[in-house]
Amino acid sequence: MTVNTEAPASAPAAMTRPPTPNGAKQKSWTGLWFVLPFAAFYALFLVWPTFLGLYYSFTDKSLTGRPESWVGLENWAEAFGDERAWAALRNTAEFTLYSTPLLVILAIVLALLVNRARKLGWFLRMAFFAPFVVPVSVVTMIWIWIYQPDGGLLNHYLQLLGIQDAGAPTLWLQDKSTALWSVVITTVWWTMGFNFLLYLAALQTIPADVYEASSIDGANWWRQLWHITLPLLKRTTALVITLQLIASLRIFDQMYLMTGGGPDRATEVAIHYIYISGFEGYRIGYASALSYVLFVLILIVSVVQFRVFSRKED
């Protein structure tokens, strides 16, 4: 009896395919088809408008429909000499200076408190993060009601406490001295939940053994905070400050909806002035130049901050 050891003629091709060399990788273009839709929309709605805006910044493009012409650096020169543009940048910087420390410090404090809470932890997490998911239009409407001079919630309680005279209510959004701070308070209440969540997630990654070892060595809660918790949160703090600076320098929605840039342009910020120049003054070319000036400033701030935190970590 003989046994046929030859492979059948109908054996799959994969069984007779020569093996690939060691370390060789077969290229597959299948993944590109999954990325292609996102890449197409990204190029269409971000990359192309970016380069188109840069081109418009060297022209006198207008929404009136007249033919555009090349003007070179005229828009850029006008932007650097525009006093109203510099005033808007000062308001933006002032808002950033007021809001960023509050959004970082309060987020850390609340995250530390919630991290120690056991029974009410889930409720506090939901309560602190919930405002962040509310649309800006709803947030500004709520706070406009709170800031109402007559019948507003804030003035009402200030009068009950005897801090404010009932006959002279504070004009929170109509007074130069309080309008910017009013928007800052609204922004802190609205966006602090995101920073809080980042800090809370970072706190939960710190091993409990580190605190137990320090407690055995006699370290109290305060020393643990300064010598363990805050140093281990440096990366998160760097991320939060970077994101917050960029977000604050791009402030527009709250200012536009709550004050409209008033009173007397005291809350007119950079993007608001860009909007006015482009869509109310119909000067798309000049608005594009202003946009790129703001973009360069944000880029410089981000790079400087990244280098500062990189040196601290080293």
Side-chain angles (χ1 to χ4, degrees):
M1 180 177 179
T2 60
V3 179
N4 185 8
T5 59
E6 294 182 359
S10 60
M15 296 177 61
T16 60
R17 182 181 302 167
T20 58
N22 293 334
K25 294 182 179 179
Q26 294 182 354
K27 292 184 178 180
S28 175
W29 301 99
T30 305
L32 292 178
W33 293 104
F34 293 95
V35 179
L36 185 60
F38 170 79
F41 280 100
Y42 184 83
L44 180 62
F45 293 106
L46 186 64
V47 177
W48 170 245
T50 299
F51 287 102
L52 186 63
L54 182 60
Y55 167 75
Y56 283 157
S57 68
F58 298 102
T59 68
D60 61 351
K61 175 71 175 177
S62 175
L63 285 180
T64 58
R66 59 178 173 80
E68 64 188 62
S69 59
W70 186 266
V71 296
L73 296 176
E74 289 185 12
N75 289 328
W76 294 78
E78 183 181 353
F80 282 105
D82 191 343
E83 294 183 0
R84 185 173 177 180
W86 285 109
L89 281 175
R90 283 194 296 270
N91 291 336
T92 305
E94 191 174 353
F95 173 85
T96 303
L97 183 63
Y98 294 157
S99 62
T100 300
L102 290 174
L103 284 165
V104 174
I105 295 172
L106 289 177
I108 293 177
V109 172
L110 293 179
L112 289 171
L113 294 175
V114 173
N115 191 49
R116 295 175 66 88
R118 300 301 178 187
K119 295 182 179 180
L120 293 177
W122 66 272
F123 174 76
L124 295 175
R125 286 194 296 270
M126 181 186 66
F128 293 147
F129 184 74
F132 183 74
V133 300
V134 179
V136 63
S137 56
V138 177
V139 171
T140 53
M141 184 179 297
I142 292 171
W143 281 91
I144 287 174
W145 288 341
I146 293 174
Y147 289 135
Q148 283 293 325
D150 298 322
L153 193 64
L154 183 56
N155 282 344
H156 172 72
Y157 281 105
L158 290 177
Q159 292 169 9
L160 286 179
L161 295 173
I163 301 175
Q164 183 184 105
D165 186 7
T170 303
L171 305 176
W172 297 101
L173 298 176
Q174 294 79 25
D175 192 339
K176 284 185 178 181
S177 61
T178 58
L180 188 63
W181 270 107
S182 300
V183 181
V184 168
I185 294 172
T186 301
T187 304
V188 170
W189 178 84
W190 179 37
T191 62
M192 183 179 57
F194 180 73
N195 298 340
F196 154 77
L197 206 62
L198 290 178
Y199 275 117
L200 185 61
L203 284 171
Q204 293 176 351
T205 61
I206 300 177
D209 299 341
V210 179
Y211 293 107
E212 292 176 1
S214 63
S215 299
I216 294 174
D217 292 336
N220 56 20
W221 180 86
W222 187 254
R223 297 184 71 129
Q224 289 176 346
L225 174 65
W226 284 102
H227 297 287
I228 297 176
T229 306
L230 294 182
L232 292 177
L233 291 177
K234 279 185 178 179
R235 290 181 178 271
T236 304
T237 301
L239 173 64
V240 168
I241 293 178
T242 301
L243 294 176
Q244 196 54 60
L245 282 175
I246 294 174
S248 297
L249 290 171
R250 294 170 53 248
I251 178 68
F252 171 70
D253 300 344
Q254 305 93 290
M255 293 290 189
Y256 181 76
L257 294 173
M258 295 183 71
T259 65
D264 195 20
R265 299 177 184 170
T267 59
E268 184 177 270
V269 289
I271 295 184
H272 190 187
Y273 182 52
I274 294 171
Y275 170 83
I276 292 173
S277 300
F279 294 98
E280 294 183 7
Y282 306 114
R283 301 183 62 192
I284 296 298
Y286 182 57
S288 299
L290 290 171
S291 300
Y292 273 89
V293 171
L294 179 63
F295 168 75
V296 171
L297 291 176
I298 294 176
L299 184 62
I300 292 173
V301 170
S302 302
V303 170
V304 169
Q305 184 181 353
F306 176 77
R307 288 182 174 271
V308 169
F309 279 104
S310 297
R311 289 177 182 176
K312 286 183 178 181
E313 290 182 0
D314 294 340

